[in-house]
Amino acid sequence: MNWSGLESLLSGVNKYSTAFGRIWLSMVFVFRVLVFVVAAQRVWGDESKDFVCNTKQPGCTNVCYDNIFPISHIRLWALQLIFVTCPSLMVMAHVKFREGKNKKYVEQHNGSHLYANPGKKRGGLWWTYLLSLVFKAGFDAAFLYILFRIYHGYDLPKLSKCSLDPCPNTVDCFISRPTEKKIFMLFMVVSSALCILMCILEMVYLVCKRIIKLAKVRHENDRIMFAESHQLKTLSPPRSQFHADPTLADSKMSLSRREKTQREHKTTFL
């Protein structure tokens, strides 16, 4: 399998990922793909050749091997890595679709852009990215469950009992290097669990960031509406000093009446 081609293809997802996504991709290629290619394939390379049962009955060893190893660890992990990394291609496909749409829009509208940044996680791309995280975590969890059910709790016993036809009776079967294989199996299980954790953390990060952003926008809209509804009315201009003061007129009128009364009083007295 050409893992280098898959690596070069998924490396383009890095520029559209968050910090958690970059850590997830590094963990996948360093702790899973690299270990799978360099060590795991060699460890499981002799699983069928060195599987031994204490019988010479034709077909008994093959039947017991099929019962103990329903599916090879190597093939199961290869299938798991393919399923887990494929959702990242959804994000790349969506970004490429946006770039093509933006290019057509620029040609039709004289240089104006439909998307300022096609790789920005907004609108439909945000949902695509979140859905890819759900698929990645779900595929990893599903394969861990399958491995748990097949191998009864991630265990590889040194001695296995087999009594299936055409075995004449219950025979003892032995796995080659069971301890080493169990260590590698646990390592791959822990790596898968860490990748699931990183996907969950990234989902929480994206959702919380979106909620905070929406809360800020709503708060800003409420503030603007409050300011518009409580605008102060323009104050009336101050009275000019040249305008007539009615109180002043009343006081002058009262003074004139008082002077007239005094003159009449003087005339009467004389």
Side-chain angles (χ1 to χ4, degrees), residues 15-74:
K15 56 184 178 181
Y16 310 124
S17 302
T18 63
F20 293 102
R22 296 185 184 97
I23 295 174
W24 176 87
L25 193 60
S26 300
M27 290 177 60
V28 167
F29 281 106
V30 173
F31 295 105
R32 298 176 69 175
V33 175
L34 192 60
V35 171
F36 176 84
V37 173
V38 174
Q41 286 183 331
R42 296 181 181 180
V43 172
W44 264 268
D46 60 350
E47 58 181 343
S48 59
K49 181 179 66 175
D50 293 340
F51 182 81
V52 179
C53 294
N54 59 352
T55 181
K56 293 185 178 180
Q57 176 68 29
C60 179
T61 301
N62 293 335
V63 170
C64 292
Y65 175 81
D66 183 70
N67 181 58
I68 296 173
F69 291 100
I71 183 171
S72 170
H73 288 75
I74 294 298

Coordinates of all heavy atoms in Angstrom, one line a residue, residues 15-74:
K15 N -3.4 23.0 6.4 CA -3.6 24.4 6.4 C -5.0 24.8 6.6 O -5.3 26.0 6.8 CB -3.1 25.0 5.1 CG -3.7 24.3 3.8 CD -3.1 24.9 2.6 CE -3.7 24.2 1.3 NZ -3.1 24.8 0.1
Y16 N -5.9 23.8 6.6 CA -7.3 24.1 6.9 C -7.7 23.6 8.3 O -8.9 23.8 8.7 CB -8.2 23.4 5.9 CG -7.9 23.7 4.4 CD1 -7.6 22.6 3.5 CD2 -7.7 25.0 4.0 CE1 -7.2 22.9 2.2 CE2 -7.4 25.2 2.6 CZ -7.1 24.2 1.8 OH -6.8 24.4 0.5
S17 N -6.8 23.0 9.0 CA -7.1 22.4 10.3 C -6.8 23.4 11.4 O -6.0 24.3 11.3 CB -6.3 21.1 10.5 OG -6.6 20.2 9.5
T18 N -7.3 23.1 12.6 CA -7.0 23.8 13.8 C -5.7 23.2 14.4 O -5.2 22.2 13.9 CB -8.1 23.7 14.8 OG1 -8.3 22.4 15.2 CG2 -9.4 24.3 14.2
A19 N -5.3 23.7 15.6 CA -4.1 23.1 16.2 C -4.4 21.7 16.6 O -3.5 20.8 16.5 CB -3.7 24.0 17.4
F20 N -5.6 21.4 17.1 CA -5.9 20.0 17.5 C -5.9 19.1 16.2 O -5.5 17.9 16.3 CB -7.3 20.0 18.1 CG -7.4 20.6 19.4 CD1 -7.9 21.9 19.5 CD2 -6.9 20.0 20.6 CE1 -8.0 22.5 20.8 CE2 -7.0 20.6 21.8 CZ -7.5 21.9 21.9
G21 N -6.3 19.6 15.1 CA -6.3 18.8 13.9 C -4.9 18.5 13.4 O -4.6 17.4 12.9
R22 N -4.0 19.4 13.6 CA -2.6 19.2 13.2 C -1.9 18.2 14.1 O -1.2 17.3 13.7 CB -1.8 20.5 13.2 CG -2.3 21.5 12.2 CD -1.4 22.7 12.2 NE -1.9 23.7 11.3 CZ -2.7 24.8 11.6 NH1 -3.0 24.9 12.9 NH2 -3.1 25.6 10.7
I23 N -2.3 18.2 15.4 CA -1.8 17.2 16.4 C -2.3 15.8 16.0 O -1.6 14.8 16.0 CB -2.1 17.6 17.8 CG1 -1.4 18.9 18.2 CG2 -1.7 16.5 18.8 CD1 -1.8 19.5 19.5
W24 N -3.6 15.8 15.7 CA -4.2 14.5 15.3 C -3.5 13.9 14.1 O -3.2 12.7 14.1 CB -5.7 14.7 15.0 CG -6.4 13.5 14.5 CD1 -7.0 12.5 15.3 CD2 -6.6 13.1 13.2 NE1 -7.5 11.5 14.5 CE2 -7.3 11.8 13.2 CE3 -6.2 13.6 11.9 CZ2 -7.6 11.1 12.0 CZ3 -6.5 12.9 10.8 CH2 -7.2 11.7 10.8
L25 N -3.3 14.7 13.1 CA -2.6 14.2 11.9 C -1.2 13.7 12.1 O -0.8 12.7 11.6 CB -2.6 15.3 10.8 CG -2.3 14.9 9.4 CD1 -3.3 13.8 8.9 CD2 -2.2 16.1 8.4
S26 N -0.5 14.5 13.0 CA 0.9 14.0 13.4 C 0.8 12.7 14.1 O 1.7 11.8 13.9 CB 1.5 15.1 14.2 OG 1.6 16.3 13.5
M27 N -0.1 12.6 15.0 CA -0.2 11.3 15.8 C -0.6 10.1 14.8 O 0.0 9.0 15.0 CB -1.3 11.4 16.9 CG -0.9 12.4 18.0 SD -2.3 12.6 19.2 CE -2.5 10.9 19.7
V28 N -1.4 10.4 13.9 CA -1.8 9.3 12.9 C -0.6 8.8 12.2 O -0.4 7.6 12.1 CB -2.9 9.8 12.0 CG1 -3.1 8.8 10.8 CG2 -4.2 9.9 12.7
F29 N 0.2 9.7 11.7 CA 1.3 9.3 10.8 C 2.6 8.9 11.6 O 3.3 8.0 11.2 CB 1.7 10.4 9.8 CG 0.8 10.5 8.7 CD1 -0.1 11.6 8.6 CD2 0.8 9.6 7.7 CE1 -1.0 11.6 7.5 CE2 0.0 9.7 6.6 CZ -0.9 10.7 6.5
V30 N 2.8 9.4 12.8 CA 4.0 9.0 13.6 C 3.7 7.8 14.4 O 4.5 6.8 14.4 CB 4.4 10.2 14.5 CG1 5.5 9.8 15.4 CG2 4.9 11.4 13.6
F31 N 2.6 7.8 15.1 CA 2.3 6.7 16.0 C 1.5 5.5 15.4 O 1.4 4.5 16.1 CB 1.6 7.2 17.3 CG 2.4 8.1 18.1 CD1 2.2 9.5 18.1 CD2 3.4 7.7 18.9 CE1 2.9 10.4 18.8 CE2 4.2 8.5 19.6 CZ 3.9 9.9 19.6
R32 N 0.9 5.7 14.3 CA 0.1 4.7 13.7 C 0.6 4.2 12.3 O 1.0 3.0 12.2 CB -1.3 5.1 13.6 CG -1.9 5.4 15.0 CD -3.3 6.0 14.9 NE -4.3 5.0 14.4 CZ -5.6 5.2 14.4 NH1 -6.1 6.4 14.7 NH2 -6.4 4.3 14.0
V33 N 0.7 5.1 11.4 CA 1.2 4.7 10.1 C 2.6 4.3 10.1 O 3.0 3.2 9.6 CB 1.0 5.8 9.1 CG1 1.6 5.5 7.7 CG2 -0.5 6.2 8.9
L34 N 3.5 5.1 10.8 CA 4.9 4.7 10.8 C 5.2 3.4 11.6 O 5.9 2.6 11.1 CB 5.7 5.9 11.5 CG 7.2 5.8 11.3 CD1 7.6 5.9 9.9 CD2 7.8 7.0 12.1
V35 N 4.5 3.3 12.7 CA 4.7 2.0 13.5 C 4.1 0.9 12.7 O 4.7 -0.2 12.7 CB 4.0 2.2 14.8 CG1 3.9 0.8 15.5 CG2 4.7 3.2 15.7
F36 N 3.0 1.1 12.0 CA 2.4 0.0 11.2 C 3.3 -0.4 10.1 O 3.5 -1.6 9.9 CB 1.1 0.5 10.6 CG 0.4 -0.4 9.7 CD1 -0.4 -1.4 10.2 CD2 0.6 -0.3 8.3 CE1 -1.1 -2.3 9.3 CE2 -0.1 -1.2 7.4 CZ -0.9 -2.2 8.0
V37 N 3.9 0.5 9.4 CA 4.8 0.1 8.2 C 6.1 -0.4 8.7 O 6.6 -1.4 8.1 CB 5.0 1.4 7.3 CG1 6.0 1.1 6.2 CG2 3.7 1.9 6.7
V38 N 6.7 0.2 9.7 CA 8.1 -0.2 10.1 C 8.1 -1.5 11.0 O 8.9 -2.4 10.7 CB 8.8 1.0 10.8 CG1 10.1 0.5 11.4 CG2 8.9 2.2 9.9
A39 N 7.2 -1.6 11.9 CA 7.3 -2.6 12.9 C 6.2 -3.6 12.9 O 6.4 -4.9 12.9 CB 7.4 -2.0 14.3
A40 N 4.9 -3.2 12.8 CA 3.8 -4.1 13.0 C 3.7 -5.2 11.9 O 3.5 -6.3 12.1 CB 2.5 -3.3 13.0
Q41 N 4.0 -4.8 10.6 CA 4.0 -5.7 9.6 C 5.0 -6.8 9.7 O 4.8 -8.0 9.4 CB 4.2 -5.0 8.2 CG 3.0 -4.2 7.7 CD 3.2 -3.6 6.4 OE1 4.3 -3.3 6.0 NE2 2.1 -3.4 5.6
R42 N 6.2 -6.5 10.3 CA 7.2 -7.5 10.5 C 6.8 -8.4 11.7 O 7.1 -9.6 11.7 CB 8.5 -6.8 10.8 CG 9.1 -6.0 9.6 CD 10.4 -5.4 9.9 NE 10.9 -4.6 8.8 CZ 12.1 -4.0 8.8 NH1 12.8 -4.0 9.9 NH2 12.4 -3.3 7.7
V43 N 6.2 -7.8 12.7 CA 5.8 -8.7 13.9 C 4.7 -9.7 13.5 O 4.8 -10.8 13.9 CB 5.3 -7.7 15.0 CG1 4.7 -8.6 16.1 CG2 6.5 -6.9 15.5
W44 N 3.8 -9.3 12.7 CA 2.7 -10.2 12.3 C 3.0 -10.9 11.0 O 2.1 -11.6 10.4 CB 1.4 -9.4 12.1 CG 0.5 -9.4 13.4 CD1 -0.5 -10.3 13.6 CD2 0.6 -8.5 14.5 NE1 -1.0 -10.1 14.9 CE2 -0.4 -9.0 15.4 CE3 1.4 -7.5 14.8 CZ2 -0.6 -8.3 16.6 CZ3 1.2 -6.8 16.0 CH2 0.2 -7.2 16.9
G45 N 4.2 -10.8 10.5 CA 4.5 -11.5 9.2 C 4.5 -13.0 9.3 O 4.3 -13.7 8.3
D46 N 4.7 -13.5 10.5 CA 4.8 -15.0 10.6 C 3.6 -15.6 11.3 O 3.6 -16.7 11.9 CB 6.0 -15.3 11.4 CG 6.1 -14.7 12.8 OD1 5.2 -13.9 13.1 OD2 7.0 -15.1 13.5
E47 N 2.5 -14.8 11.4 CA 1.4 -15.3 12.2 C 0.8 -16.6 11.7 O 0.3 -17.5 12.5 CB 0.3 -14.2 12.3 CG -0.3 -13.8 11.0 CD -1.3 -12.7 11.1 OE1 -1.9 -12.5 12.2 OE2 -1.6 -12.1 10.1
S48 N 0.7 -16.8 10.4 CA 0.1 -18.0 9.9 C 1.2 -19.1 9.8 O 0.9 -20.3 10.0 CB -0.6 -17.8 8.6 OG 0.4 -17.3 7.6
K49 N 2.4 -18.7 9.4 CA 3.5 -19.7 9.2 C 3.9 -20.4 10.4 O 4.1 -21.6 10.5 CB 4.7 -19.0 8.5 CG 5.8 -20.0 8.2 CD 6.9 -19.2 7.5 CE 7.6 -18.2 8.5 NZ 8.8 -17.5 7.9
D50 N 4.0 -19.6 11.5 CA 4.5 -20.2 12.8 C 3.3 -20.5 13.8 O 3.6 -20.7 15.0 CB 5.4 -19.2 13.5 CG 6.7 -19.1 12.7 OD1 7.0 -20.0 11.9 OD2 7.4 -18.1 12.9
F51 N 2.1 -20.6 13.3 CA 1.0 -21.0 14.2 C 1.0 -22.6 14.2 O 0.9 -23.2 13.2 CB -0.3 -20.5 13.6 CG -1.5 -20.9 14.4 CD1 -1.8 -20.2 15.5 CD2 -2.3 -22.0 14.1 CE1 -3.0 -20.5 16.3 CE2 -3.4 -22.3 14.8 CZ -3.7 -21.6 15.9
V52 N 1.1 -23.1 15.4 CA 1.3 -24.6 15.6 C 0.2 -25.2 16.5 O -0.1 -24.6 17.5 CB 2.7 -24.9 16.2 CG1 2.9 -26.4 16.3 CG2 3.8 -24.3 15.2
C53 N -0.3 -26.3 16.1 CA -1.2 -27.1 16.9 C -0.6 -28.5 17.1 O 0.0 -29.0 16.2 CB -2.6 -27.2 16.3 SG -3.5 -25.6 16.2
N54 N -0.9 -29.1 18.3 CA -0.3 -30.4 18.5 C -1.1 -31.5 17.9 O -1.6 -32.4 18.6 CB -0.1 -30.6 20.0 CG -1.4 -30.5 20.8 OD1 -2.5 -30.2 20.2 ND2 -1.4 -30.8 22.1
T55 N -1.3 -31.5 16.6 CA -2.0 -32.5 15.9 C -1.5 -32.5 14.5 O -1.0 -31.5 13.9 CB -3.5 -32.3 15.9 OG1 -4.1 -33.4 15.2 CG2 -3.9 -31.0 15.3
K56 N -1.6 -33.6 13.8 CA -1.2 -33.8 12.4 C -2.4 -34.0 11.5 O -2.3 -34.4 10.4 CB -0.2 -34.9 12.2 CG 1.2 -34.6 12.9 CD 2.2 -35.7 12.6 CE 3.6 -35.3 13.2 NZ 4.6 -36.4 12.9
Q57 N -3.6 -33.8 12.1 CA -4.8 -34.0 11.4 C -4.9 -33.0 10.3 O -4.8 -31.8 10.5 CB -6.0 -33.9 12.3 CG -7.4 -34.0 11.6 CD -7.6 -35.4 11.0 OE1 -7.1 -36.4 11.6 NE2 -8.4 -35.5 9.9
P58 N -5.0 -33.4 9.0 CA -5.1 -32.4 7.9 C -6.3 -31.4 8.1 O -7.4 -31.9 8.4 CB -5.2 -33.3 6.7 CG -4.7 -34.6 7.0 CD -5.0 -34.8 8.5
G59 N -6.0 -30.2 8.0 CA -7.1 -29.2 8.0 C -7.3 -28.6 9.4 O -8.0 -27.6 9.6
C60 N -6.9 -29.4 10.5 CA -7.2 -28.9 11.8 C -6.5 -27.6 12.2 O -7.1 -26.7 12.8 CB -6.8 -30.0 12.8 SG -7.1 -29.6 14.6
T61 N -5.2 -27.5 11.8 CA -4.5 -26.3 12.1 C -5.1 -25.1 11.4 O -5.2 -24.0 12.0 CB -3.0 -26.5 11.7 OG1 -2.4 -27.6 12.4 CG2 -2.2 -25.2 12.0
N62 N -5.5 -25.3 10.1 CA -6.1 -24.2 9.4 C -7.4 -23.7 10.0 O -7.7 -22.5 10.1 CB -6.3 -24.6 7.9 CG -5.0 -24.8 7.2 OD1 -4.0 -24.3 7.5 ND2 -5.1 -25.7 6.2
V63 N -8.2 -24.7 10.4 CA -9.5 -24.3 11.0 C -9.3 -23.6 12.4 O -10.0 -22.6 12.7 CB -10.4 -25.6 11.2 CG1 -11.6 -25.3 12.1 CG2 -10.8 -26.2 9.9
C64 N -8.4 -24.1 13.2 CA -8.1 -23.4 14.5 C -7.5 -22.0 14.3 O -7.8 -21.1 15.0 CB -7.1 -24.3 15.3 SG -7.9 -25.9 15.8
Y65 N -6.6 -21.9 13.3 CA -6.1 -20.6 13.0 C -7.2 -19.6 12.6 O -7.2 -18.4 13.0 CB -5.0 -20.7 11.9 CG -4.5 -19.3 11.5 CD1 -3.5 -18.7 12.2 CD2 -4.9 -18.7 10.4 CE1 -3.0 -17.5 11.9 CE2 -4.4 -17.5 10.0 CZ -3.5 -16.9 10.7 OH -3.0 -15.6 10.3
D66 N -8.1 -20.0 11.8 CA -9.2 -19.2 11.3 C -10.1 -18.8 12.5 O -10.7 -17.7 12.6 CB -10.0 -19.9 10.3 CG -11.1 -19.0 9.7 OD1 -10.8 -18.0 9.0 OD2 -12.3 -19.3 10.0
N67 N -10.2 -19.7 13.5 CA -11.1 -19.4 14.7 C -10.4 -18.4 15.6 O -11.1 -17.6 16.2 CB -11.4 -20.7 15.4 CG -12.3 -20.5 16.6 OD1 -13.4 -20.0 16.5 ND2 -11.8 -20.9 17.8
I68 N -9.1 -18.6 15.8 CA -8.4 -17.7 16.7 C -8.1 -16.3 16.0 O -8.2 -15.3 16.7 CB -7.1 -18.3 17.1 CG1 -7.4 -19.6 17.9 CG2 -6.2 -17.4 18.0 CD1 -6.1 -20.4 18.2
F69 N -7.8 -16.3 14.7 CA -7.6 -15.0 14.0 C -8.7 -14.9 12.9 O -8.4 -15.2 11.7 CB -6.2 -15.0 13.4 CG -5.1 -15.0 14.4 CD1 -4.4 -16.1 14.7 CD2 -4.7 -13.8 14.9 CE1 -3.3 -16.0 15.6 CE2 -3.7 -13.7 15.8 CZ -3.0 -14.8 16.2
P70 N -9.9 -14.5 13.3 CA -10.9 -14.3 12.2 C -10.5 -13.3 11.1 O -10.9 -13.4 10.0 CB -12.1 -13.8 13.0 CG -11.9 -14.2 14.4 CD -10.4 -14.2 14.6
I71 N -9.8 -12.3 11.6 CA -9.2 -11.3 10.6 C -7.9 -10.9 11.1 O -7.6 -10.8 12.3 CB -10.2 -10.1 10.5 CG1 -9.6 -9.1 9.5 CG2 -10.3 -9.4 11.9 CD1 -10.6 -7.9 9.2
S72 N -7.0 -10.7 10.2 CA -5.6 -10.4 10.5 C -5.5 -9.0 11.1 O -6.2 -8.1 10.6 CB -4.7 -10.5 9.2 OG -3.4 -10.0 9.5
H73 N -4.7 -8.8 12.1 CA -4.5 -7.5 12.7 C -4.0 -6.5 11.7 O -4.5 -5.3 11.6 CB -3.5 -7.6 13.9 CG -4.1 -8.2 15.1 ND1 -4.2 -9.6 15.2 CD2 -4.5 -7.7 16.3 CE1 -4.7 -9.9 16.4 NE2 -4.9 -8.8 17.1
I74 N -3.1 -6.9 10.8 CA -2.5 -6.0 9.8 C -3.6 -5.5 8.9 O -3.7 -4.3 8.6 CB -1.4 -6.8 9.0 CG1 -0.2 -7.1 10.0 CG2 -0.9 -5.9 7.9 CD1 0.4 -5.9 10.6

